[in-house]
Amino acid sequence: MKITVTTGLWACVIASALLAGCYREQRPLPGAPATAAPTDPLRLTSLQPGEPKAAVNSGNPYEDNAYATAQGKHLFKQYNCNGCHGSGGGGSGPALMDDKWIYGSEPANIYATIVQGRPNGMPSFGGHIPEDQVWQLVAYIRSMSGQLRSDVAPSRSDSLSPGKPEQRREKETPTPESLPQSAK
Amino acid sequence: MTRTTAPLALLFAAAGAYAEPAQSALRPAGIQAERIHDLWQLTLAICALVFAAVLAALLAALWRAPRGDAATPADVSPLSRPEPRLRRNVLLAVGASVALLFVLIVADFQTDRLLNRMPLADAVNIEVTAHQWWWEARYDDPEPGRIFTTANELHIPVGRPVVLKLKSSDVIHTFWLPSLHGKKDMIPGRTALLRLRADQPGTYRGQCAEFCGFEHALMAFLVTAEPNDRYEAWADTQRREASNELSAQESRGRQVFMERSCVMCHTIQGIGANATFGPDLTHLAGRATLASGVLPNNREQLAAWITKPQQQKPGTNMPSTALSQEELDALLAYLGTLK
Amino acid sequence: MNTTTTRLTADMQQSAARLEQTWRDPPGILGWFSAINHKTIAVRFMLTTMGFFLAGGVLALIMRLQLARPENHLVGPDFYNQLFTMHGTTMMFLFAVPVMQAVGSYLVPLMLGARSLAFPRMNAFAYWIFLFGGLMLYVGFLLDIGPDAGWFAYVPLAGPDYSPGKRVDFWAQMITFTELSALLEAIILITTIFKMRAPGMTLNRMPLYVWTMLVTSFMVLFAMPSVMLASTALITDRLVGTHFYNPAEGGDALLWQHLFWFFGHPEVYLIFIPPLGFMSSIIATFSRRPIYGYAAMVLAVIATAFLAFGLWVHHMYATNVPELGKSFFTASSAMIAIPTAIQIFCWIATLWTGKLSFRTPLLFALGFFFILTLGGLTGVMLASVGLDLQVHDTFFVVAHLHYVLIGGAVFPLFGAFYYWFPKFTGRLMSETLGRWNFWLFFIGFNVAFFPMHLLGLAGMPRRVWTYPASMGWGDMNLTATVGAAIIAVSVLLFIINALKSRRHGAPAGPNPWGAGTLEWGTDSPPPAGNFVAPPVCGGRYPLWEPDGVPARVTGLDDDRRAILTTTLMDARPDLRPTMPSPSIWPFLSAIAVTVLFIGSIFTPWAVVWGAVPVAIGTTLWFWPNRKSTERQVAREVRP
């Protein structure tokens, strides 16, 4: 009797252990890059001539990975993104923690923005930042507006506190925005 | 994991090609480590004596006591009568223990005082900042133009005190150079001081001694102690910017450095590369090792480190850089000029 | 007169049968979860902690296999970091302290002549909480959410910035589970020892083992809150963004170290002090005489407990806390050797004047003298700031801690298992297998851990997943791995011995060793109510007194769970309370608390919503039963 109950308990333990390892917790070390860069050109508006094309399915598996997102946060500081974007509130560059996205909020859009650069001051980092690190940055940037699950998004960093940690932020609904009025 | 075994084994085998410098607390090469070693010898002697005495007493007790078993009636008379002989012997043993402990405590205090009062005249001041998983060293100087920064391999003069200001940029690390002194933690938000002096020339190996993440095991550094004039010559070299006299291939290599990802993290003085995420490479070619003491500094290892760092040091922040063979050769040529 | 069934009068036999009915666990599956008999819970507790011991041992074997050769790639750095974190966490939190409380919760009532532990339902609840916390950690480990920041989880590495994900949160919450369980057990043991001793068992006549459990339990009350506070602050830092450990916002990384080690140093004495009690029990029995120097032994244990709270900064000598402060801790860390030395000398004096019987329990006790003394002396070395600065965080400390913990706790624990196994099961363990077990363990242990002293002095730091071949550390590491394998074989022998002896061991009878304390005055295994007729205590070794047990307690009802409480100092009879009956609510409340704790890893709202089932469960736990209240009122006697 006692043996069967104990065996039952252990069976539950082992059963849950046989579930695939938790991807959130893996430490994927660079060398195994994330999804390939999108091959289709990205569209930033729904207006297009001819037959409407299906939207590119742009996922970033790093969005489920806490380590990659935390690495993205470190890279954001190390590569001085906060020089223009602040800690997400913007400055000479647009805010990244709000709901307004000029060039698209999907991971592939953000990847393209970082790699290609954008008018009015966003440098092109293609070739300078390895692809894998760009995807980590993308995951972090999406977490700044609360797009990531709270168990994946980073918590506070060991620095002066700029505001709520990413994992406690409300999820913004991304809305496209036209170029800022001050653009010339 | 499995696919890295073969190349890593080869690479580390190659690492054994250079003589491994000393990293032992039992072979002191400087006054601070010397004092600790003296204390060690006294303490070892006393503790060995006590251990032998206790063991001898125990074995004697086991040897001479008569045998009994469960049926032997228990002797409860000690509950009602004193045992003066036992009392005297136990008190003697306790007294001896207290006396020996007192000797040790006094010796400890004396050693602490000496360690904290090393004379500091004409000291070399180095500020060492630990990162995950490498060491940044800034040699301070009252004249700002003579301050220089290097990484992972330090040189110090024999016979002159060295004052190390220890900081950390991320998590707690520990600076430990057993040949010259005990260790000191490098705690974010705090500055610690370590004062030491090398009294014998040689190259000494140190290692991080506080668990700091993935590559705590492979976070080593080298300290070369040399006569003062050789040290000053080395320091002067370190103060110089990277050379501009480059061949075509070396220039191409510099271009690769500036146009690819290297410039995002590394500093090379004089060419406009000033990032501080990774180690300063201005005098890379003059170092004996790469990747904080892990790999010998030669062309093959450097190529492997640039293109496949995760195989040498899994978890490192150094990214894999995809380069064509032409770019890689040029880059290696350029890096070879950074003496 | 003793109370084996063969010698009972007809009256007593009827009484024994009713007692068995009153005190036994209810049958069936529901009964299994409702059980509150202290022996039932203690056996489960012991088996669970030993299960964790084996798990921790397997983790250690994998580590030793990885370190056996330089530049080995059996496991990578991430998994290795999880291995040593899980090994340390398992051994310290899930094995070493709980097993001592588990053995104590079986033996203490029997040694005191009591029918039960105090607060039996809370005892069951403490076990379930412990089990669920340990299971949570291991399920996490198997799902790759195992902690990887060390068993001591220094911030900032374990903080929100450098340990992303939930790994460290699982670790921190496991602490909450196990410390809650330990605190509750401590309260139970203190109450039992103070109020439920047999009449006539003054504090001066209490067995030395009971003194160690009393002192340990008081230490738990003062030490555990420190780590609960530290881990809770870590959880809030990670979950909601507080700044306790963030220097940039006014916090301090060293705050963690102070809070953790204020607990952590007494913790190793929590592990070490109960085995001192095992030693006293075993040596007295196998020397056929009382332990020499009772008063000195008791005062030494109490002094150790007090001193243990004044040592913690010796874990922080390498930090930049003020040097003068460190000297204070050198003095206190050296001084704590004195009470332990007193104990060792008193035991040697006992052995010197005794009549020795070299059975397996005594062999393990003798192993203590060699191993613990060596470990204690390396501890004196580590007490010195200068020496510690060289060997801190190297394999020298690994050697030291295993010498004191295995020599000081695990060897006496194995001796205790061999000694009390006949009492738990009614059968003796095999002497032959026991000797093989002992010698393999002793030899394997020294082969495994002695070289580590040399490795530390030769420069090998701790917590390294590999090391360069050119350092010359390979041979000593290989030797250590061979020693670890020998230890594994010896532990396997122990398991075989236990399983075999359970079925086929020689029947033991109530007192196979001819010992003197009260637990040997009842059947093996004891009946559900421990004693058919509870004894009155006439001396420190009641069964050795020339007239045996002087009297028995009569007049306690045997159809309800009646016990006798006595006064604190002189153990005069005091009250006759009724112990609670078995209940499913401790188990269900433990489930509710588990859901609350695990939920709060992911969201702070779990604390709010999770409190509702906990409140319900604990309320129904205490809900009075109308019929039993009426019965009790009916029996109250006007003073």
Side-chain angles (χ1 to χ4, degrees):
Chain A
M1 159 55 71
K2 287 179 206 168
I3 308 293
T4 43
V5 176
T6 351
T7 321
L9 272 171
W10 277 110
C12 295
V13 171
I14 292 165
S16 43
L18 288 176
L19 296 171
C22 196
Y23 180 67
R24 178 190 69 228
E25 298 295 341
Q26 276 180 26
R27 266 62 174 151
L29 301 177
T35 54
T39 49
D40 272 331
L42 295 169
R43 305 208 64 87
L44 300 179
T45 95
S46 54
L47 299 175
Q48 52 181 275
E51 287 290 320
K53 282 194 200 162
V56 168
N57 181 12
S58 52
N60 179 7
Y62 281 166
E63 292 208 347
D64 286 324
N65 186 279
Y67 172 76
T69 315
Q71 286 292 89
K73 184 165 182 171
H74 292 150
L75 292 171
F76 190 90
K77 193 180 79 163
Q78 291 291 352
Y79 291 151
N80 201 29
C81 311
N82 48 14
C84 294
H85 291 287
S87 297
S92 57
L96 298 177
M97 62 198 289
D98 61 358
D99 56 348
K100 299 185 176 27
W101 296 83
I102 305 173
Y103 298 105
S105 66
E106 288 296 306
N109 296 132
I110 304 174
Y111 178 91
T113 300
I114 296 174
V115 160
Q116 296 166 1
R118 290 287 178 255
N120 296 313
M122 175 66 184
S124 157
F125 289 97
H128 280 302
I129 301 184
E131 183 189 322
D132 201 66
Q133 290 188 343
V134 178
W135 287 112
Q136 290 175 344
L137 281 164
V138 168
Y140 173 61
I141 289 163
R142 298 229 332 138
S143 79
M144 291 167 95
S145 57
Q147 308 302 319
L148 266 53
R149 291 197 327 262
S150 68
D151 58 328
V152 177
S155 182
R156 70 145 174 86
S157 63
D158 283 348
S159 63
L160 287 172
S161 172
K164 274 194 182 171
E166 288 78 1
Q167 68 184 57
R168 315 249 315 133
R169 292 184 190 167
E170 298 282 317
K171 184 176 151 96
E172 304 281 345
T173 310
T175 51
E177 172 164 277
S178 55
L179 289 171
Q181 292 306 309
S182 59
K184 302 250 189 315
Chain B
M1 259 188 311
T2 44
R3 64 185 160 87
T4 65
T5 313
L8 193 46
L10 281 171
L11 292 164
F12 272 21
Y18 70 97
E20 193 63 47
Q23 188 176 320
S24 170
L26 297 175
R27 287 198 295 274
I31 178 142
Q32 306 283 59
E34 198 64 64
R35 289 174 174 141
I36 297 177
H37 189 245
D38 290 339
L39 178 63
W40 162 252
Q41 289 179 313
L42 173 69
T43 311
L44 181 64
I46 292 181
C47 290
L49 183 70
V50 169
F51 183 65
V54 170
L55 216 52
L58 177 70
L59 291 173
L62 298 178
W63 187 263
R64 57 184 293 289
R67 301 288 177 259
D69 64 15
T72 312
D75 174 19
V76 282
S77 60
L79 291 176
S80 47
R81 60 164 173 82
E83 297 178 272
R85 220 171 42 93
L86 287 184
R87 199 174 121 179
R88 184 201 62 189
N89 290 340
V90 168
L91 282 175
L92 275 176
V94 173
S97 311
V98 171
L100 288 172
L101 271 176
F102 187 72
V103 167
L104 283 180
I105 292 178
V106 168
D108 293 344
F109 285 176
Q110 192 57 14
T111 308
D112 288 347
R113 284 180 88 233
L114 288 174
L115 288 175
N116 286 313
R117 285 164 195 223
M118 195 185 83
L120 295 177
D122 193 28
V124 174
N125 289 291
I126 310 177
E127 185 179 291
V128 181
T129 303
H131 301 256
Q132 278 180 322
W133 295 281
W134 61 278
W135 309 86
E136 174 192 337
R138 196 183 78 164
Y139 281 69
D140 281 333
D141 197 290
E143 190 183 329
R146 290 171 58 81
I147 296 175
F148 65 92
T149 303
T150 182
N152 296 331
E153 295 190 14
L154 312 181
H155 286 233
I156 58 176
V158 172
R160 277 174 68 190
V162 176
V163 176
L164 297 159
K165 271 212 302 215
L166 301 173
K167 300 180 168 181
S168 169
S169 69
D170 39 35
V171 299
I172 301 181
H173 301 269
T174 299
F175 185 93
W176 184 38
L177 191 58
S179 305
L180 296 186
H181 199 359
K183 56 182 63 73
K184 201 83 178 185
D185 284 355
M186 305 154 93
I187 301 170
R190 288 169 177 253
T191 303
L193 287 178
L194 193 65
R195 305 173 195 85
L196 50 83
R197 191 181 78 209
D199 292 318
Q200 294 165 34
T203 302
Y204 308 108
R205 187 177 188 270
Q207 199 167 341
C208 176
E210 183 61 62
F211 178 59
C212 53
F214 281 134
E215 283 305 347
H216 166 63
L218 297 179
M219 185 174 162
F221 59 96
L222 294 179
V223 174
T224 303
E226 50 196 0
N228 196 45
D229 49 351
R230 297 244 313 261
Y231 159 74
E232 292 292 354
W234 172 84
D236 284 333
T237 317
Q238 297 291 313
R239 291 183 185 107
R240 286 204 297 265
E241 294 179 344
S243 165
N244 260 321
E245 291 161 18
L246 303 170
S247 71
Q249 192 192 33
E250 290 157 3
S251 287
R252 168 80 182 119
R254 186 169 69 186
Q255 189 188 29
V256 169
F257 185 93
M258 296 298 285
E259 288 181 357
R260 305 304 294 273
S261 44
C262 320
V263 69
M264 297 296 294
C265 299
H266 289 288
T267 295
I268 295 182
Q269 300 284 358
I271 67 173
N274 292 314
T276 53
F277 193 16
D280 186 311
L281 301 180
T282 314
H283 300 283
L284 178 66
R287 294 182 199 155
T289 59
L290 299 171
S292 72
V294 170
L295 306 171
N297 186 359
N298 57 45
R299 200 188 149 91
E300 295 74 40
Q301 303 287 15
L302 187 52
W305 178 243
I306 292 171
T307 55
K308 292 189 288 288
Q310 294 300 330
Q311 288 187 3
Q312 330 307 328
K313 208 165 157 176
T316 182
N317 289 321
M318 169 89 173
S320 312
T321 312
L323 296 170
S324 71
Q325 194 55 44
E326 177 265 332
E327 288 171 327
L328 181 61
D329 288 338
L331 180 62
L332 291 172
Y334 175 62
L335 293 174
T337 69
L338 300 174
K339 293 223 182 337
Chain C
M1 173 178 99
N2 71 28
T3 55
T4 51
T5 24
T6 48
R7 302 243 216 116
L8 293 173
T9 63
D11 264 348
M12 289 181 75
Q13 274 180 343
Q14 273 186 339
S15 176
R18 278 196 300 270
L19 266 174
E20 189 69 24
Q21 189 71 11
T22 306
W23 285 93
R24 67 180 171 81
D25 290 319
I29 272 225
L30 198 64
W32 194 86
F33 286 99
S34 311
I36 61 165
N37 187 301
H38 77 97
K39 297 184 290 300
T40 312
I41 301 293
V43 167
R44 289 180 196 174
F45 217 142
M46 282 190 269
L47 289 174
T48 309
T49 54
M50 291 311 288
F52 283 126
F53 175 69
L54 294 176
V58 167
L59 297 171
L61 277 177
I62 303 176
M63 286 198 285
R64 279 310 331 155
L65 285 173
Q66 162 65 14
L67 289 180
R69 299 312 301 148
E71 296 154 28
N72 202 2
H73 280 264
L74 185 67
V75 301
D78 187 33
F79 191 59
Y80 189 87
N81 294 344
Q82 291 183 57
L83 281 177
F84 72 71
T85 304
M86 287 296 294
H87 170 75
T89 303
T90 302
M91 291 306 195
M92 296 300 279
F93 292 109
L94 299 177
F95 164 67
V97 173
V99 76
M100 302 306 169
Q101 292 187 315
V103 175
S105 67
Y106 195 113
L107 290 174
V108 165
L110 289 165
M111 279 194 186
L112 297 180
R115 288 203 187 284
S116 165
L117 274 179
F119 309 126
R121 288 188 185 178
M122 191 159 84
N123 187 37
F125 175 79
Y127 168 69
W128 293 117
I129 286 286
F130 165 75
L131 174 69
F132 296 149
L135 280 181
M136 175 197 77
L137 187 72
Y138 268 85
V139 169
F141 175 61
L142 295 169
L143 289 177
D144 205 13
I145 328 179
D148 59 350
W151 84 277
F152 52 96
Y154 275 2
V155 296
L157 181 64
D161 206 0
Y162 294 100
S163 271
K166 294 297 176 188
R167 289 177 170 183
V168 171
D169 301 273
F170 270 76
W171 176 88
Q173 206 57 280
M174 176 279 309
I175 300 245
T176 314
F177 277 101
T178 50
E179 305 324 322
L180 177 63
S181 169
L183 277 169
L184 295 176
E185 282 295 334
I187 294 170
I188 290 168
L189 285 167
I190 291 174
T191 312
T192 310
I193 294 171
F194 273 166
K195 293 300 294 176
M196 289 170 65
R197 303 199 301 278
M201 187 183 283
T202 62
L203 286 177
N204 204 18
R205 288 179 181 165
M206 229 163 56
L208 287 169
Y209 173 68
V210 178
W211 273 110
T212 61
M213 290 312 296
L214 181 67
V215 163
T216 305
S217 302
F218 269 106
M219 287 178 70
V220 166
L221 293 185
F222 286 97
M224 295 303 188
S226 182
V227 75
M228 281 186 98
L229 181 63
S231 64
T232 305
L234 181 63
I235 291 174
T236 56
D237 265 23
R238 292 176 60 88
L239 188 66
V240 297
T242 53
H243 297 282
F244 289 105
Y245 305 120
N246 182 2
E249 286 281 359
D252 192 347
L254 278 193
L255 175 65
W256 169 267
Q257 294 192 26
H258 280 293
L259 286 175
F260 186 82
W261 289 119
F262 186 79
F263 149 81
H265 193 80
E267 145 107 341
V268 307
Y269 285 91
L270 300 177
I271 299 171
F272 176 58
I273 290 180
L276 299 177
F278 294 152
M279 292 286 288
S280 292
S281 304
I282 293 171
I283 290 179
T285 301
F286 292 95
S287 311
R288 313 307 299 152
R289 61 150 288 165
I291 297 287
Y292 170 75
Y294 182 92
M297 296 289 281
V298 172
L299 291 172
V301 169
I302 296 175
T304 307
F306 274 99
L307 278 172
F309 280 91
L311 306 191
W312 82 93
V313 176
H314 70 215
H315 298 271
M316 298 163 63
Y317 281 157
T319 65
N320 69 338
V321 296
E323 297 299 320
L324 188 60
K326 292 180 195 173
S327 300
F328 170 83
F329 287 93
T330 295
S332 62
S333 303
M335 260 167 40
I336 202 167
I338 298 171
T340 308
I342 293 174
Q343 299 223 310
I344 290 179
F345 299 145
C346 287
W347 285 322
I348 294 181
T350 309
L351 292 165
W352 192 282
T353 51
K355 302 185 190 73
L356 304 181
S357 165
F358 287 94
R359 307 295 295 274
T360 307
L362 187 66
L363 290 181
F364 276 99
L366 295 176
F368 168 103
F369 285 102
F370 185 96
I371 300 178
L372 182 282
T373 307
L374 204 158
L377 290 168
T378 56
V380 169
M381 293 174 183
L382 288 165
S384 140
V385 175
L387 292 183
D388 184 76
L389 289 182
Q390 281 285 31
V391 295
H392 168 65
D393 256 333
T394 67
F395 266 81
F396 188 92
V397 179
V398 176
H400 161 72
L401 75 92
H402 285 92
Y403 266 81
V404 286
L405 287 176
I406 296 189
V410 177
F411 267 70
L413 180 70
F414 272 65
F417 281 140
Y418 277 91
Y419 184 56
W420 276 296
F421 186 90
K423 179 54 58 182
F424 298 158
T425 61
R427 293 183 182 274
L428 289 159
M429 289 180 88
S430 152
E431 270 299 305
T432 316
L433 276 177
R435 276 165 205 281
W436 274 96
N437 182 185
F438 168 72
W439 283 109
L440 279 176
F441 203 162
F442 186 81
I443 293 171
F445 173 81
N446 283 292
V447 169
F449 288 99
F450 194 82
M452 294 188 187
H453 294 110
L454 307 170
L455 278 173
L457 289 164
M460 184 169 177
R462 288 173 86 161
R463 302 170 183 138
V464 290
W465 70 282
T466 189
Y467 52 94
S470 47
M471 298 306 294
W473 299 330
D475 289 339
M476 285 192 280
N477 270 293
L478 185 60
T479 311
T481 302
V482 168
I486 300 176
I487 295 176
V489 171
S490 92
V491 172
L492 194 61
L493 279 184
F494 174 77
I495 298 173
I496 293 173
N497 196 354
L499 291 174
K500 229 180 61 142
S501 306
R502 188 103 173 50
R503 298 278 149 83
H504 309 295
N511 194 355
W513 312 115
T517 41
L518 283 175
E519 78 271 24
W520 302 104
T522 185
D523 284 341
S524 302
N530 290 351
F531 297 92
V532 174
V536 170
C537 172
R540 286 185 187 149
Y541 295 85
L543 300 187
W544 284 351
E545 293 292 320
D547 303 322
V549 171
R552 298 268 161 190
V553 174
T554 55
L556 281 180
D557 293 327
D558 53 20
D559 59 344
R560 64 186 177 115
R561 292 179 173 229
I563 61 158
L564 180 68
T565 62
T566 53
T567 60
L568 197 153
M569 294 292 284
D570 293 324
R572 284 193 307 276
D574 191 14
L575 300 168
R576 282 188 301 171
T578 308
M579 284 280 117
S581 54
S583 160
I584 190 74
W585 290 107
F587 172 73
L588 293 177
S589 301
I591 301 247
V593 170
T594 301
V595 168
L596 191 164
F597 283 169
I598 297 186
S600 63
I601 291 176
F602 294 96
T603 164
W605 284 109
V607 179
V608 174
W609 299 121
V612 174
V614 172
I616 296 174
T618 46
T619 304
L620 289 171
W621 171 338
F622 288 101
W623 204 263
N625 176 300
R626 187 181 296 275
K627 276 213 291 269
S628 65
T629 312
E630 279 171 0
R631 274 205 305 266
Q632 288 188 40
V633 168
R635 283 180 213 249
E636 278 176 8
V637 174
R638 197 175 293 276

